[in-house]
Amino acid sequence: MTTKPMTLIQAVNDAMGIILEEDDKTLILGEDVGRNGGVFRATEGLQEKYGEDRVVDTPLSESGIIGSSVGLAVNGFKPIAEIQFLGFIYPAYEQIMTHVSRLRMRSMSRFTVPLVIRAPYGAGIKAPEIHSDSVEILFTHMPGIKVICPSTPYDAKGLLIAAMEDPDPVLFLEPMKNYRSIREDVPTERYSIEIGKGKIVEEGSDVTIIAWGAMITIAQKAAAEAAKNGISCEVLDLRTLYPIDRALIAESVQKTTRAIIVHEAHQTSGLGNDIVSIINDTSFLFMRAPIERVTGFDVPVPFFTLEEHYLPTPARVVESIEKVMNF
Amino acid sequence: MGTKYPKQKTEKYPKQQVIDDRGNIVNEAYAEEITEELVRKLYYNMIRIRTFDRRAINLHRQGRLGTYAPFEGQEAAQVGSALALKEGDWVFPTYRDHGATITFGADMAKTYLYWNGRLEGCVPPQGKNIFPPAVPIATQIIHAAGAAWAEKRKGSNNVAIAYFGDGATSEGDFHEGLNFASVFQVPAIFFNQNNGYAISVPIEKQMNSETIAQKAVAYGMPSVRIDGNDCFAVYFEVQKAFERARSGQGPTLVEAVTWRKGAHTTADDPSKYREKEEGEAIVDPVERLELFMKNNNYWDENWIADIQEEITAEIDAAVATMESFPKANVEDVFNHVFEEMPDQLAEQKNAYLNHLGRQSL
């Protein structure tokens, strides 16, 4: 198996190149995705190779991008729509909520929307305001769409290919913070990773830390810190947020008997609360301490001079580790 | 209406007519194209959907149908436009366009089923590309642009038509859809039925422009404003727009000026927001075609009696089918959300079915 060192953004680019190459019904739509290769270079070189007809610079029009993708998707094409930043998806929210996610149901599967929406998300890169939102919950709450959020180059490539193979709409969230911070060997060939399956990033026996996207790094740093005090943390990367890997969560917390959830989204109605429910439903009698949540606050993501105070930090996670260990 | 505007736009976008209110031909250019076959096709379909519509209101009053959105007054616009469609074309209707979809080939019984809260009502006959009616406003305009774009990419000569009302032109998706369609020069027809009211809000409170047709200028798109109660004007002008689209000349905005004779829905009371006299001067599109038929020797009492009998029988059968339709399947609450049901949804479904099972013990 040939591999190549890739960053997460290169892995995304590589996956899209494979998809465009093998199926001429696939196309990429978005703002600045063509000649410019995307503001993060996710589509770099793709328009050059596959032409303006398949890697399309659209008008600056999020509802237009998603709405026209619905028309293309029901009429034989497989669009990958890029929303430049998740914080700019709101004009398309109506299209996603009222059509993309429920057209299959409304037409008893006569019309389906095989569409992948890619969106960079998250804080921590000193981006201008609104560019740093982390609103996965707006979509995990929405019936009829899957939500994926990889944290590594390898997972990004395999999950993006799986998203393209999926017959239903998928929102593919890319942690901007991880775009270039991790480089790893990624197979150059095609492979896919099953949607809905998380993985154990670090094995441990005392506390389970559940996270995804850019928060995996935070969880790992906290785990390393705790290890110095002899506490063994198991870190789970959920990778898919809907459907969520309940079996993995249950198995891990039943082993460790303590759980901490880390997410950068706001706390109230955050996905962490669903994970608490999953633990409650599957593992109530195993737990030795109340479940901790380390999350962003119920405030708009701050301007970047203050964003470090919004984002969960390893130190905050370590505090929670101590709390569950000493309960 | 319209007195506060300077007159240049209505002069630039005059309402195209073929017959006037008294049913006299005013545009000789089309006189030869009006054949008995066309007259009968238009009349038959207008009577057919009007009968469907009135029956729906009666069924609702009798508690046999849910809330219903009537289209009486808009038959010429809906039939005239739908008759220009061919197999392979795409239709993106609203909830008030079942006159158009039935004319294009949607099933009457299924359409009644839709208004009775059944998913089956959204499933078009095989081979008919009829979208479920858009319930949010203007969203379907962009879908039409996308489906038309797909046809262009395939190199077919199929087109997509989006139906929408005057209120939809105030939505962002109207702009995004027309802009997309014009940037990519897709074969789409944006068919606006300006029926004067968006529920209770009259057109002059909806926009400060004199016409809807003029909005196409902003997109570099051809447009036409037509008398939407003149079935010939609708039919011929929409044909022209379709021909342009089919021959690769891009999208067209059509404004069909018409009148919603009834309520917004059976749950609405228009006496709260408009005078009874308003609209009285507007000659009903069916009456207008009848005047034309009488003026021009197309009036044939026997034929009319025959079609009325035929249509009544068809609608009776559709109602019977609707009312004898198998009960809704509880599993359909869950079954069409994804192609493959995720475990967490399957668990909810099984738990609920078990609950129902225990209840029925």
Side-chain angles (χ1 to χ4, degrees), chain A residues 24-27 29 53-54 56-72 74-77 91 94-95 98-99 101 103-111 142-146 166-169 197 241-246, chain B residues 90 92 114 119-140 142-151 153-154 171 173 176-177 179-180 183-184 332-333 335-340 342-345 347-348:
Chain A
D24 62 9
K25 293 290 189 203
T26 55
L27 50 145
L29 309 183
D53 266 5
R54 296 195 53 211
V56 188
D57 276 321
T58 65
L60 206 168
S61 174
E62 287 79 13
S63 189
I65 292 168
I66 302 303
S68 62
S69 292
V70 170
L72 287 160
V74 299
N75 198 1
F77 289 86
E94 181 183 23
Q95 285 287 347
T98 62
H99 297 291
S101 63
L103 195 54
R104 177 188 284 280
M105 186 277 286
R106 296 186 70 224
S107 66
M108 299 184 93
S109 300
R110 171 67 67 81
F111 297 113
M142 183 186 278
I145 186 167
K146 296 175 182 173
D166 200 276
D168 286 304
K197 295 284 179 233
L241 307 182
Y242 191 95
I244 200 164
D245 193 343
R246 296 178 306 162
Chain B
W90 286 80
F92 295 87
Y114 173 73
L119 280 177
E120 289 85 350
C122 279
V123 185
Q126 214 42 261
K128 289 282 184 192
N129 300 321
I130 303 170
F131 236 50
V135 176
I137 304 302
T139 50
Q140 77 282 9
I142 316 180
H143 304 158
W149 196 5
E151 292 300 336
R153 301 177 74 94
K154 291 178 188 171
E171 291 276 10
D173 278 2
E176 298 199 31
N179 187 51
F180 252 75
V183 166
F184 297 109
D332 283 339
V333 169
N335 282 353
H336 296 283
V337 183
F338 293 101
E339 182 169 297
E340 203 180 316
D343 289 348
Q344 65 197 89
L345 182 54
E347 194 175 281
Q348 293 173 20

Side-chain angles (χ1 to χ4, degrees), chain A residues 301-312:
Chain A
V301 180
F303 285 28
F304 67 74
T305 52
L306 290 172
E307 68 181 352
E308 64 186 289
H309 296 290
Y310 171 83
L311 284 171

Side-chain angles (χ1 to χ4, degrees), chain A residues 187-203:
Chain A
T188 50
E189 66 195 32
R190 178 195 217 285
Y191 63 93
S192 63
I193 294 171
E194 190 181 349
I195 296 172
K197 295 284 179 233
K199 68 173 181 188
I200 299 172
V201 179
E202 315 243 351
E203 285 203 47

